[in-house]
Amino acid sequence: MGLLRLLNIEMGHLPIVLLLSLSLSTNIDTNAFTITTLATSPLSSLSKTIQDLQYSHRQQNRNNHNRILPKLQSSLDPLGGPMDGSVKSTQRMSKKDLKTFSRYLEIESWKRGPSARDLEFVLRSIGEACKQINRIVQRAQTDDLYGVALGEDGQQLDENVQGEVQQKLDVVCNNIMLKQFCGSSKGVIAAVASEEEDLPRTCCDVMGDDAFAIGEYVAVFDPIDGSKNIDASLPVGTIFGIYKCTPGTEPTDKTFLQKGNEMVAAGYCLYSATTVFVLTMGSGVDGFTLDPDKGVFLHTHQDLRIPSAGPIYSFNEANFRDYTVPVRRYLTALKEGSSSIKVRSNARYVGALVADVHNILINGGIYGYPGTFSNPDGKLRLLYESNPMGMIIEQAGGAASTGFGRILDVQPKEIHMRVPTFLGSIENVYELDQFHQYYSDDEE
């Protein structure tokens, strides 16, 4: 009922009609206003009375909204758990509450003991290397760092050991990683092997000082993965792994020929919309995002876990006809929705290992760089790429496979050895292995 209609009602019926109208239209608690008050109120003040009741109702609704909305938002939060109390919900931490990368290393070193304290200085230096490379990547266009690397004579440099033409960024970033690994602390890293160089180098050779000749660890790395993406302003990354070596002995090529399951730490830096440093020290995976204002890495991803299955596959579809029968059958099943995950999968491929695997780590699915008929071992290097990324994925609850077995169990035969590589959610990778088992003998 409107106000004009109420004003035409006889006074004898005013209290009942008024209360009924307000109860139906505004759902006000009728106990809050007595019949006596309404009956004795002058007709001229009825409008104000109704306005007061409606204002009270709006305040009550606002209070209910403020009380219910946080619960609703929490129940819809993908990072939160159920609201029945069975799982404690995860609250996003504000920026001021996030630990810095340096503080994280201090705490982990204290928890893990002396061996981790030695690596603290090395990992801190790698964080600094990632910051330097990030700045270079951002300035590549303005500082003329695009394109192939040229020698002192202005001619294009020879192809590297991988048979690839070195880009300018390859050379610059390789030097940064060499200096940061070897110069981080005397007596920790004894030698390094780079994807860009033919042979490993001792740190005394890198630094030009015999004081760096000894150390308990050796390091492997790919300084700038996907460097050709730079020309198109696409994501690139840095990958590294650290192994123990026999103390007091001079490292040789054989020192680096260790299985991936012997690594003590591995990580990567992703240079994209944000700069992310992902690290494992053998007991879980953590991620750190570079704060551009303060220039420090903040602990934004605690205990990263890859979904057990995911709808994304990251393969170079241009090579589809060159893949083996098991891989082609598996990809076809993903596209048709007949795979074990029961949904049609989505293709996502950037062309940089770090970017593609990071996407799989966050969202679930499978990354693959299979062998082809012309290159049965694929493209990825076991020491510099497959092993470090495989360790990270496994520590996050996923799987790393060659299609026939675990990547981290492969015994390297030489430092630039290549292997077919499949990384991702455990159910996706397991199904791919099953396709290799059942269809490996098929011929077309």
Side-chain angles (χ1 to χ4, degrees):
M1 293 185 181
L3 178 60
L4 294 177
R5 186 176 179 183
L6 285 174
L7 294 176
N8 293 327
I9 297 176
E10 296 182 5
M11 289 296 293
H13 298 92
L14 177 62
I16 298 175
V17 176
L18 184 60
L19 285 173
L20 178 61
S21 172
L22 292 172
S23 179
L24 291 175
S25 63
T26 62
N27 197 28
I28 294 295
D29 184 1
T30 55
N31 291 328
F33 295 88
T34 64
I35 294 177
T36 304
T37 302
L38 289 170
T40 58
S41 297
L43 196 59
S44 60
S45 65
L46 284 178
S47 177
K48 186 176 186 307
T49 302
I50 294 173
Q51 291 175 356
D52 291 342
L53 288 172
Q54 291 177 334
Y55 175 78
S56 176
H57 174 60
R58 287 195 299 270
Q59 286 295 102
Q60 183 179 3
N61 282 346
R62 186 176 294 110
N63 292 336
N64 290 338
H65 177 271
N66 292 337
R67 185 173 64 254
I68 295 172
L69 183 59
K71 294 182 179 180
L72 178 61
Q73 290 174 332
S74 180
S75 66
L76 296 177
D77 185 357
L79 296 179
M83 294 308 297
D84 58 3
S86 60
V87 179
K88 184 178 180 181
S89 62
T90 303
Q91 299 294 331
R92 289 187 180 274
M93 299 177 67
S94 63
K95 183 176 178 179
K96 65 180 181 180
D97 296 326
L98 296 173
K99 291 196 297 285
T100 64
F101 179 56
S102 297
R103 181 57 178 160
Y104 167 84
L105 290 177
E106 290 175 0
I107 295 173
E108 291 299 310
S109 298
W110 175 78
K111 291 193 299 186
R112 296 168 186 265
S115 60
R117 294 192 187 102
D118 291 336
L119 288 178
E120 177 184 349
F121 301 102
V122 177
L123 295 174
R124 196 189 301 266
S125 292
I126 298 308
E128 292 301 316
C130 289
K131 294 178 190 178
Q132 293 181 38
I133 295 175
N134 177 63
R135 288 192 292 268
I136 291 173
V137 167
Q138 292 178 341
R139 302 197 322 260
Q141 180 68 63
T142 56
D143 290 9
D144 192 27
L145 291 173
Y146 281 164
V148 299
L150 303 177
E152 294 180 358
D153 57 358
Q155 299 298 313
Q156 179 178 308
L157 293 178
D158 294 335
E159 294 180 348
N160 62 15
V161 67
Q162 313 299 338
E164 300 167 344
V165 177
Q166 284 187 306
Q167 305 295 302
K168 291 180 180 179
L169 277 180
D170 292 328
V171 177
V172 174
C173 296
N174 185 61
N175 290 332
I176 291 174
M177 292 296 291
L178 288 173
K179 296 293 185 181
Q180 289 292 348
F181 263 121
C182 290
S184 57
S185 179
K186 295 179 182 178
V188 179
I189 299 294
V192 289
S194 169
E195 185 259 351
E196 295 294 331
E197 301 192 358
D198 296 353
L199 298 171
R201 296 173 62 183
T202 61
C203 281
C204 65
D205 175 49
V206 172
M207 303 302 295
D209 188 339
D210 291 339
F212 294 89
I214 59 173
E216 297 185 7
Y217 300 92
V218 293
V220 296
F221 61 88
D222 182 354
I224 190 78
D225 166 64
S227 55
K228 290 183 179 179
N229 280 1
I230 290 294
D231 293 346
S233 299
L234 295 175
V236 293
T238 298
I239 309 170
F240 69 90
I242 300 175
Y243 295 85
K244 287 278 288 185
C245 66
T246 305
T249 61
E250 184 175 349
T252 64
D253 289 5
K254 293 183 178 180
T255 306
F256 291 88
L257 302 182
Q258 302 184 47
K259 295 181 180 180
N261 55 31
E262 298 179 68
M263 271 189 299
V264 297
Y268 64 78
C269 290
L270 171 64
Y271 314 109
S272 184
T274 56
T275 300
V276 181
F277 185 5
V278 174
L279 173 69
T280 179
M281 299 173 69
S283 58
V285 179
D286 289 88
F288 308 83
T289 303
L290 182 63
D291 179 0
D293 295 327
K294 296 183 178 180
V296 296
F297 281 104
L298 299 178
H299 194 186
T300 51
H301 300 73
Q302 301 179 20
D303 191 21
L304 274 169
R305 306 296 294 175
I306 186 172
S308 60
I312 298 174
Y313 71 96
S314 187
F315 286 68
N316 187 349
E317 289 274 14
N319 296 330
F320 179 83
R321 294 185 179 277
D322 296 323
Y323 291 151
T324 59
V325 173
V327 175
R328 294 207 306 270
R329 284 182 175 269
Y330 176 69
L331 291 177
T332 300
L334 290 179
K335 298 171 189 177
E336 294 176 347
S338 59
S339 67
S340 63
I341 61 175
K342 303 302 181 184
V343 295
R344 292 182 63 183
S345 296
N346 301 312
R348 297 287 187 273
Y349 188 74
V350 176
L353 174 65
V354 171
D356 288 318
V357 172
H358 185 75
N359 186 27
I360 297 298
L361 174 62
I362 299 300
N363 298 302
I366 184 169
Y367 169 87
Y369 207 107
T372 61
F373 293 121
S374 57
N375 296 295
D377 293 330
K379 174 186 175 183
L380 299 182
R381 270 70 60 168
L382 177 64
L383 287 184
Y384 313 110
E385 297 166 318
S386 300
N387 272 345
M389 300 303 278
M391 180 181 183
I392 292 169
I393 290 295
E394 284 197 2
Q395 286 295 318
S401 173
T402 63
F404 298 95
R406 185 181 179 220
I407 285 179
L408 300 187
D409 290 336
V410 176
Q411 176 62 55
K413 297 178 182 179
E414 52 97 10
I415 61 171
H416 294 293
M417 176 180 173
R418 303 174 189 244
V419 292
T421 300
F422 304 96
L423 310 166
S425 300
I426 191 167
E427 293 183 18
N428 297 69
V429 175
Y430 174 77
E431 184 178 26
L432 175 76
D433 287 351
Q434 294 300 301
F435 271 74
H436 277 90
Q437 179 180 343
Y438 293 125
Y439 299 112
S440 59
D441 295 330
D442 288 4
E443 294 184 1
E444 293 186 0

